[in-house]
Structure formats: C-alpha cells, structure tokens
Amino acid sequence: MSIKLTGRLMAAALLSLTAAGCQGEESQPAEADALSAQEAPVEQQCVETFAGIKNCAAGNAKLERTEKGLNVTGLEKAANDGVSSNFAAATQWEQKAVFQDLAKAGQGFALAARDGNQVVSTIQVGIGSEPGQVTFHPQFTGTPGGSTYSVYVYNGGQFQGRHINRGLWFPMDASWYDIHIRFTPIHIGFRNHMTFGFNDPLPSGACVWAFRSATPGAFTFNFDGREVSGDYVEFVEELGDGHYPYTSFSAIDLTAAASALTIHSESVIRGK
C-alpha cells in the first residue's frame, strides 16, 4: 500500500517533468485529445457510512452501503484492492468486519495506518503454508531503520505472555482462522498508545495493532516452545533510541483478496 501511494507521487512528478519538457512542441491532433479524455482515470468512489469516517474504494474495489453496513466487492489482489478509511487526526481506530472466501485466493489481507501520505505502520495477515495457518507481519516506522515489536496475549483481561519478535513472519494457530475469518466478524484495532501510569508496560507513542475475539483461547501462539492462548492479541512497537513516536494518524487502508468484505462497524477516537 505504501508502494501504491509512492507510485502516485512519482507519477505526478514525472507528469510535471514531461509537461515542462514538451513546451513548444506541436499541438496534438483533436483525436489524441479525445483519446486522452477517454483514458482519464475514473474518479475515486467514496461514501460516508460511519460517523466521522469517509470510506474510499481502492484498486478495483466497489463500495455499497447496505443495512448491514458497508459492502466491498472487487477484491481480487491483496496488494491493491480494498477500502481506505479517512478521518480527522485520531489516536485510535476500530473495525468489525466479515470476509467472504478470504482463504480461497490464498493472499490474505493487509492494513496500513497513515498520517496524511506518510505510512506510520503496516501489518500483513497471510494464509500460511500449513492448513488453516495464519501469519502476521507487522512493520513499524517510529525507530530509524524500522522498529522491532512485541506480541502480547491476554485472556479474559489477564496477561498470558509476551514475546519479542525481530521482524520475522509470526504464525498463529489455525483455530483463530477457522472461527474468526471464516465464520464470524473480525475485530481489528490500531492506536497510538498513550501511557496511563508507571505500571503501564507499553511505551507512550508506540503504535499498536490489535485483534480481539469473543471466544476464550481463540488465539494460540508458540512463544519459544511454549504455547500461549488468549482472546486478545496486540502487536506493540518497541521504540528505540532516536525514535519518532506518532501521536495521531488520519487513515487506515485495508486491502484483501476475497469475494466480498462487509464492514459492520467502524469508529475512531479523535486526537486532542
């Protein structure tokens, strides 16, 4: 997704250079002008389904408001097709959605948090090599060269375990995939963490991706040979020296390969 944004900016720069270099050349025939008009990009489709959020289609995706929420179709490529949620500066975002046939294409889905055009953090949720396996690949930008991250697992509000990861793909047990991607809504969140006190284990300014389940023990991880299960998991950025903590963001981009995606609810908490 960040590549796509960069591509747009590069295309705009190349267009300006071309325009400057072509000044003084012979004018194009009327047929060429008509062809250019036909090839002009189609205006991006945007709708406002949830309070304070404007959803815009990306790639080949199409949006339709329904009684259940926002229906997204045309999801053929996980790298391009999806929906972008845009809002005023926020410190927290949450979404509840249902995928249809996500596993059939075998590409999974990806999310990116942006502050304007600046990508703050991304996470890719892929279909693993083992039957039903899900993999996660978070990336954070608060530390120069990229931040490491920790995985925190909770069950019923009780801390179960923590694992420090160095940027490798992180697998998760198939039970969460079977229950939450195939049959029930997926609860996803992103926030810029603000420390609430001395006992808070998370650093202020850290970016956090979160996945929540209504089923106890739905998430199962292997932490260095020890199985850890819970109903809530967080991927937390570890901020190092020279870090640049983000205090807000203004968009979440979601792309996927699936027959459809229905967003049941979506909300943000505004930044101060």
Side-chain angles (χ1 to χ4, degrees), residues 3-28:
I3 294 175
K4 181 177 180 182
L5 288 169
T6 304
R8 289 180 179 174
L9 295 175
M10 290 178 64
L14 289 172
L15 181 61
S16 64
L17 290 172
T18 303
C22 291
Q23 289 180 359
E25 294 184 1
E26 293 183 3
S27 60
Q28 298 294 322

Side-chain angles (χ1 to χ4, degrees), residues 128-183:
S129 57
E130 299 295 327
Q133 186 185 56
V134 177
T135 61
F136 292 86
H137 188 198
Q139 290 184 303
F140 301 95
T141 63
T143 303
S147 308
T148 59
Y149 63 92
S150 290
V151 184
Y152 289 79
V153 178
Y154 300 84
N155 199 54
Q158 298 298 313
F159 176 70
Q160 301 298 306
R162 174 197 179 198
H163 179 80
I164 300 177
N165 195 278
R166 301 301 178 188
L168 301 175
W169 289 90
F170 202 83
M172 187 170 66
D173 188 83
S175 60
W176 184 79
Y177 168 81
D178 291 334
I179 296 172
H180 297 279
I181 295 184
R182 282 185 175 173
F183 305 118

Side-chain angles (χ1 to χ4, degrees), residues 1-218:
M1 285 168 286
S2 60
I3 294 175
K4 181 177 180 182
L5 288 169
T6 304
R8 289 180 179 174
L9 295 175
M10 290 178 64
L14 289 172
L15 181 61
S16 64
L17 290 172
T18 303
C22 291
Q23 289 180 359
E25 294 184 1
E26 293 183 3
S27 60
Q28 298 294 322
E31 292 83 359
D33 292 338
L35 182 60
S36 298
Q38 292 175 8
E39 294 177 346
V42 178
E43 184 178 353
Q44 188 177 32
Q45 181 192 10
C46 296
V47 298
E48 294 186 14
T49 307
F50 308 101
I53 300 174
K54 180 166 73 172
N55 299 108
C56 296
N60 295 315
K62 305 294 183 193
L63 309 182
E64 180 184 8
R65 283 181 294 200
T66 68
E67 293 181 355
K68 295 182 178 181
L70 180 63
N71 194 44
V72 187
T73 55
L75 302 174
E76 299 176 1
K77 297 181 180 180
N80 302 310
D81 304 331
V83 56
S84 176
S85 301
N86 301 270
F87 35 79
T91 58
Q92 185 169 328
W93 166 88
E94 292 186 356
Q95 184 185 89
K96 181 173 74 171
V98 174
F99 286 104
Q100 295 179 24
D101 299 323
L102 181 71
K104 186 177 294 184
Q107 300 177 45
F109 65 96
L111 298 123
R114 287 186 289 109
D115 183 17
N117 286 333
Q118 177 67 45
V119 175
V120 175
S121 178
T122 64
I123 187 167
Q124 295 174 314
V125 183
I127 309 302
S129 57
E130 299 295 327
Q133 186 185 56
V134 177
T135 61
F136 292 86
H137 188 198
Q139 290 184 303
F140 301 95
T141 63
T143 303
S147 308
T148 59
Y149 63 92
S150 290
V151 184
Y152 289 79
V153 178
Y154 300 84
N155 199 54
Q158 298 298 313
F159 176 70
Q160 301 298 306
R162 174 197 179 198
H163 179 80
I164 300 177
N165 195 278
R166 301 301 178 188
L168 301 175
W169 289 90
F170 202 83
M172 187 170 66
D173 188 83
S175 60
W176 184 79
Y177 168 81
D178 291 334
I179 296 172
H180 297 279
I181 295 184
R182 282 185 175 173
F183 305 118
T184 63
I186 177 173
H187 294 251
I188 310 171
F190 179 81
R191 73 177 187 275
N192 295 127
H193 186 75
M194 302 306 294
T195 301
F196 296 104
F198 292 109
N199 294 325
D200 191 339
L202 308 188
S204 184
C207 292
V208 181
W209 290 104
F211 297 83
R212 182 179 298 279
S213 165
T215 305

